[in-house]
Amino acid sequence: MGGIIVVLTLVRPQLGVLLLVPAVPFGSLRQVQIGIANVGLAEALLALVLAAWLMQLAARRSVRIRIPPLAISLLVFVGVLFLTMLGATSVQRSLKEVIKWVEVLALYLLVANEMEGRWSRALVFVALGTGALVALQGIYQFLFQVGPEEFVLFGQFMRAYGTFEQPNPYGGYLGLTLPLAVGLVAAGLLRARGKVGWKWILWSGGCGVLMLAALMMSWSRGAWLGFGAAMLAMALAIVIQSGRAAAIGVVLAASAAYLLLLGGLARIPGSLVQRFSDFVPYMGVMDVRGVEVTDANFAVLERVAHWQSALKMWTDHPWLGVGIGNFEAAYSRYALPLWPLALGHAHNYYLNIGAEAGVLGLMAYLVLWGFALVTVWRAVRRSEGWWWGVALGVLGVVTHLTVHNVFDNLYVHSIYLLVATFLGVITSNGKNRQVV
């Protein structure tokens, strides 16, 4: 099987990209330890795909590559990350993180240049199908209590976590795939009736229902908030670009909000209300050393404690941070008394990049992400039919990532490769392609 995959990828690198999509959630099932890095199927496939692509370019005796909109800002960000290695405690950890962003840049270039037309449609089809499989796995875990004891809910269910070991990245993965399904359904039913076939609507709708159910079963607040923000951004885009259907949608949304304010909140299950409200009292607390730790607030305080440590790192190393990828290595010097163990990152990507890469790193990332938002918005404005649905979905993806990263770091478990793929797909459309 491995030999067949290698041969097919050498002939058609696009096939390797299609295989890379399911390798993101399932490739971690088989990994090889190389130094401090875990190399799974996704990383191996990416290396194969990039090698095949470069060999094809050489065989054509042409290395002309279209430079898509985010390539320059990605390259600048990688350059800044290299600079932060000057003060790194662990160069290995820094290289691991830099290589991750080099992979994002390389995959983004490949998808933007090669995944056109039917390849883009195949890629979206595979992404939705993979999301449905991941959702089914989580639903099974939730209903049959398959998982560690600390994930048990209400004594009879289990937080869904898939192959991601933790519910939060699992919910993040679903939140980054589900908007594609919503976007295509919206394109078929609202703006692009007749241009998006019913097969696509049924496929997207079916996969979307499964992913939405599994997202709720993950019990991840960050994923819920991210998905809510994604739906709001997509609704605003529809309102701006559509006519009567969008106006009706706004009226219905306003009516629903009004009914909730009149007493509908009382009908929401108390467990859901508590899930969203139990962290509110601690949002303004940036020194948890004086707060009593209980079973009810442990998870929230642990996260705030890591935010506090990240801020201290950033204060001591304001310009280039402690070195990209070195949050865990530096954590022991900044850990609070009751929180000696590092969680791997600050559980807030903006604070994490500030602590590891300083002001320069954070500014480079914000510029990159600002360009990503502008690029996706332009794609939504310029696209039609099926492409409009995809662009609308990627707008939701980018919005979800922007919000969810306030409470976590989703650039883990190869999820960053999925983000690079989606950003590359909207650029592969001829109407959206820009040359820098």
Side-chain angles (χ1 to χ4, degrees):
M1 181 62 67
I4 292 173
I5 291 174
V6 170
V7 171
L8 291 177
T9 302
L10 289 174
V11 176
R12 284 283 186 270
Q14 296 91 336
L15 291 173
V17 176
L18 296 182
L19 292 173
L20 183 60
V21 173
V24 169
F26 297 114
S28 60
L29 296 176
R30 293 290 183 269
Q31 293 183 324
V32 177
Q33 186 79 24
I34 300 179
I36 63 171
N38 292 318
V39 178
L41 183 59
E43 290 78 16
L45 267 173
L46 178 61
L48 175 63
V49 168
L50 292 176
W53 184 41
L54 293 176
M55 283 190 286
Q56 282 207 353
L57 292 177
R60 299 173 193 164
R61 297 184 179 180
S62 171
V63 291
R64 294 178 59 188
I65 299 175
R66 301 184 188 93
I67 306 300
L70 300 182
I72 301 301
S73 52
L74 267 170
L75 191 60
V76 170
F77 182 56
V78 170
V80 173
L81 296 187
F82 266 112
L83 282 178
T84 68
M85 293 174 61
L86 296 174
T89 302
S90 172
V91 176
Q92 274 190 325
R93 292 179 184 273
S94 291
L95 282 175
K96 176 184 175 182
E97 196 69 17
V98 170
I99 290 172
K100 174 192 298 184
W101 284 99
V102 171
E103 290 175 346
V104 170
L105 174 59
L107 182 59
Y108 171 66
L109 287 172
L110 191 159
V111 174
N113 278 270
E114 301 294 337
M115 302 300 289
E116 303 175 65
R118 59 192 179 98
W119 290 113
S120 290
R121 292 178 178 269
L123 184 61
V124 172
F125 181 87
V126 171
L128 293 176
T130 302
L133 289 176
V134 172
L136 286 172
Q137 183 185 21
I139 292 171
Y140 172 77
Q141 293 167 339
F142 178 84
L143 295 177
F144 295 96
Q145 291 194 40
V146 179
E149 185 177 352
E150 58 267 27
F151 292 168
V152 172
L153 285 173
F154 318 124
Q156 56 182 334
F157 299 114
M158 178 78 63
R159 291 184 68 181
Y161 60 93
T163 60
F164 293 88
E165 300 178 352
Q166 293 290 333
N168 289 323
Y170 173 77
Y173 172 86
L174 292 172
L176 294 176
T177 308
L178 179 53
L180 274 182
V182 177
L184 285 169
V185 171
L189 299 181
L190 295 178
R191 186 176 185 269
R193 182 181 294 274
K195 296 182 179 180
V196 177
W198 285 107
K199 291 181 180 179
W200 271 105
I201 296 174
L202 292 174
W203 175 248
S204 302
C207 294
V209 168
L210 290 174
M211 286 188 278
L212 180 59
L215 178 66
M216 297 302 297
M217 294 174 184
S218 72
W219 211 246
S220 170
R221 282 176 294 217
W224 292 352
L225 291 171
F227 179 67
M231 294 303 98
L232 179 60
M234 295 169 68
L236 288 175
I238 293 173
V239 168
I240 292 172
Q241 289 200 285
S242 298
R244 186 179 305 172
I248 294 173
V250 172
V251 171
L252 291 175
S255 302
Y258 180 69
L259 291 174
L260 284 174
L261 292 175
L262 285 179
L265 286 173
R267 299 183 179 276
I268 297 177
S271 56
L272 286 178
V273 175
Q274 182 182 5
R275 187 64 177 161
F276 278 109
S277 61
D278 60 0
F279 69 94
V280 174
Y282 306 101
M283 289 302 291
V285 176
M286 288 312 298
D287 190 347
V288 299
R289 286 173 289 190
V291 181
E292 181 182 358
V293 181
T294 65
D295 291 340
N297 65 16
F298 177 85
V300 175
L301 292 183
E302 183 180 40
R303 185 161 300 189
V304 177
H306 277 68
W307 293 358
Q308 188 172 336
S309 297
L311 280 172
K312 182 60 176 173
M313 288 184 200
W314 194 358
T315 302
D316 288 353
H317 304 84
W319 295 108
L320 291 175
V322 297
I324 190 65
N326 274 247
F327 177 86
E328 189 170 8
Y331 182 78
S332 60
R333 305 197 301 270
Y334 299 93
L336 300 183
L338 295 179
W339 316 98
L341 299 178
L343 296 177
H345 51 78
H347 277 268
N348 178 312
Y349 188 74
Y350 306 100
L351 289 177
N352 196 89
I353 196 69
E356 292 185 347
V359 173
L360 294 180
L362 178 61
M363 292 302 297
Y365 176 77
L366 291 178
V367 169
L368 165 63
W369 210 240
F371 274 118
L373 287 168
V374 171
T375 300
V376 174
W377 179 249
R378 286 178 177 174
V380 174
R381 296 295 299 271
R382 295 174 179 177
S383 302
E384 296 178 357
W386 185 88
W387 277 108
W388 182 79
V390 173
L392 184 66
V394 177
L395 175 64
V397 170
V398 173
T399 304
H400 179 106
L401 193 59
T402 303
V403 173
H404 197 159
N405 269 344
V406 174
F407 306 97
D408 219 319
N409 176 6
L410 289 187
Y411 297 121
V412 294
H413 294 281
S414 301
I415 294 177
Y416 51 91
L417 298 179
L418 189 71
V419 175
T421 302
F422 289 159
L423 290 174
V425 162
I426 62 165
T427 309
S428 67
N429 179 13
K431 291 185 180 181
N432 301 327
R433 185 180 292 132
Q434 302 172 33
V435 179
V436 179

